[in-house]
Amino acid sequence: MLEKIDLGVTIDKEAYRAEKERLSIRLGELQRTVHDLGIPVLIIFEGWDAAGKGTLINELLMPMDPRSFRVHNFKKQESEDEIFRPFLWRYWTKTPEKGQIGIFNRSYYSDLIYRKSIDSLNLLGFMKQCNEFEQTLSDDGMIILKFFVHISKKEQKKRFNKLLGNDATAWKVTPRDKKENKHYDKLYEKVNRGLEQTDSECAPWIIIEGEYKDYALIKVLSVLETRLEKAIEKVKTAPEIELKPLIHEGDMPFHSKVLDGVVFDQEISEEEYQEEIKDCQKRIRLLQYELYKERIPLIVGFEGWDAGGKGGCIKRLTRNLDPRGYTVYPTASPSDIERMHHYLWRFWRDIPKNGHLGVWDRTWYGRVMVEPIEGFCTQEEYDRSFREINEFEKHLSDWGAIVIKFWLHIDQDEQLKRFTERQDNPHKGWKITDEDWRNREKWEIYKIAVDEMLLKTSTVNAPWIIVEANNKYFARTKVLKETIAAIEKRLNE
């Protein structure tokens, strides 16, 4: 890709001034339209050190409303907090909300080149994650522009020498910069290969000839103008989509019926339960220390029918754990801020550090259960969510996390019994709502959605474990035993 670039292209001063003035006015207009239409825009600047990325970003921002953009500077050296999180965590959490422009000065592509922990064996896997990340954001309506500012080895050295010759700027040139110039040719091959393998339809690379700064700026502004105009036209001419329930009773009569095969014949006495639960809690406390020592993260997600016993299982799972090493995340309807982002954004934000535990009381699976039934997502969003969720969980497991997902299954008679008990008990009445009764009326519809979910998202990396939960004692012990087994399996690998 880079070998085809002519670095000698220029623009005369008069044409530059006229075009810069026109583009500055136009980009201000386009930014306001993007904001009004709720279109998120992500602009990534990559390139050689001293190529002029900072100058280009500064010039780009001059005509824009500062309330509608944010610049994120990512250092080559990650912070301790970032090192202990998945590869894409620090980028997912900084993605712009709808109507905003996010600018990344360096990104995950610099990580692919400079991070020491990424070698040739796992480089392709991380590139695949980058492509999946961009596809997921693009499918959700984000406009992604990726600029690589290219200069020659000779020009880079010339700029370094100029900076070093001035006491006010010499600090900008680090030993790593000098090393980059020395090994420019070797890095060139790695960079070029990376550009080719991460150039996609949804997020193509735009190579900026950076040796003549006037030309570089006009090219950046012109490309941005074109992409924003196309995005705005697409949104304005798109047919209005009416949100409506996507799954109905009787749909998919020949779908795989996973839950119909669950048998509720498990029995355990209170005495047996008390003995087993104490043993399990002691064991999992010791395993928590092993996870911390080995820096292995544990992700546990709970889903299930209303009154299925999720809260009780979570209490017993965490009862004896060191509270400094785990967090329980209750998932409710998304907030106004969360709705302005991709639905996975709020879950990425809470991913624990390695060696810690994250427990979710309801999870990202609301996208494929509640939302299609209640009419909160489109058919396209529903259909692609299975792929997006599987990729999300694969990114977590590739990071090193143990990912476990529990579906707590009860039958309708048991649910009615528990609903009634809650309603009649003044100390538990807060647990039952009108929405619970309304959801109960849609049992058969939810069962279709749950069967599809279990079938399409139970993977080797993140398996679903169905917990027969009519007997609370059995359900609680099974959750702890399965968690212990998953941890011990990993520690013994």
Side-chain angles (χ1 to χ4, degrees), residues 196-215:
E196 292 172 359
Q197 293 176 338
T198 57
D199 187 57
S200 63
E201 185 178 349
C202 72
W205 279 107
I206 301 104
I207 307 301
I208 303 298
E209 298 84 346
E211 303 224 342
Y212 295 91
K213 295 180 181 180
D214 290 352
Y215 177 86

Side-chain angles (χ1 to χ4, degrees), residues 248-464:
H248 308 85
E249 191 167 355
D251 283 359
M252 299 181 281
F254 299 106
H255 80 280
S256 299
K257 299 179 180 180
V258 179
L259 294 180
D260 284 353
V262 178
V263 178
F264 297 102
D265 60 357
Q266 300 78 19
E267 293 293 335
I268 179 173
S269 68
E270 183 175 0
E271 185 178 354
E272 292 174 311
Y273 163 73
Q274 294 295 347
E275 184 177 340
E276 287 191 19
I277 205 75
K278 286 180 181 177
D279 289 343
C280 287
Q281 287 172 341
K282 289 178 182 177
R283 179 61 183 151
I284 209 164
R285 170 82 176 214
L286 295 174
L287 290 173
Q288 182 190 17
Y289 293 137
E290 290 297 313
L291 290 176
Y292 181 78
K293 187 172 69 175
E294 299 296 329
R295 286 295 179 187
I296 299 172
L298 175 62
I299 308 290
V300 186
F302 284 87
E303 292 285 358
W305 299 106
D306 292 327
K310 296 180 291 297
C313 286
I314 292 171
K315 281 183 180 179
R316 274 69 185 185
L317 175 64
T318 60
R319 174 67 180 84
N320 207 37
L321 296 180
D322 185 332
R324 296 169 296 180
Y326 76 89
T327 305
V328 176
Y329 301 99
T331 302
S333 299
S335 67
D336 290 343
I337 292 176
E338 290 166 345
R339 287 191 185 93
M340 297 294 280
H341 292 269
H342 189 279
Y343 72 94
L344 287 175
W345 175 81
R346 62 173 171 157
F347 301 106
W348 269 102
R349 187 182 54 184
D350 290 332
I351 296 300
K353 294 189 293 186
N354 57 21
H356 289 68
L357 283 67
V359 181
W360 273 265
D361 183 352
R362 297 203 180 280
T363 67
W364 38 95
Y365 283 96
R367 170 49 68 100
V368 295
M369 286 192 297
V370 178
E371 292 190 28
I373 291 173
E374 301 299 334
F376 296 153
C377 66
T378 67
Q379 186 69 53
E380 285 186 358
E381 289 171 334
Y382 172 66
D383 291 341
R384 68 174 181 257
S385 293
F386 296 103
R387 170 184 59 82
E388 292 173 344
I389 288 171
N390 285 338
E391 288 173 354
F392 166 51
E393 293 172 350
K394 180 68 162 57
H395 292 182
L396 296 179
S397 65
D398 286 348
W399 165 49
I402 303 169
V403 183
I404 314 172
K405 302 172 303 192
F406 292 109
W407 173 263
L408 271 62
H409 191 45
I410 58 175
D411 60 30
Q412 284 181 282
D413 292 339
E414 181 65 22
Q415 187 188 59
L416 179 60
K417 174 186 170 185
R418 295 183 185 183
F419 275 15
T420 304
E421 287 176 352
R422 289 180 176 185
Q423 199 168 48
D424 295 341
N425 186 332
H427 300 297
K428 293 187 177 182
W430 60 272
K431 289 187 173 184
I432 188 79
T433 66
D434 292 340
E435 187 176 352
D436 293 330
W437 289 106
R438 187 172 63 83
N439 289 342
R440 177 176 165 77
E441 294 174 2
K442 299 181 180 181
W443 181 281
E444 292 301 324
I445 304 175
Y446 269 98
K447 194 147 77 71
I448 294 171
V450 173
D451 282 338
E452 285 292 291
M453 175 192 77
L454 295 173
L455 186 67
K456 292 182 177 180
T457 61
S458 189
T459 64
V460 174
N461 307 295
W464 275 108

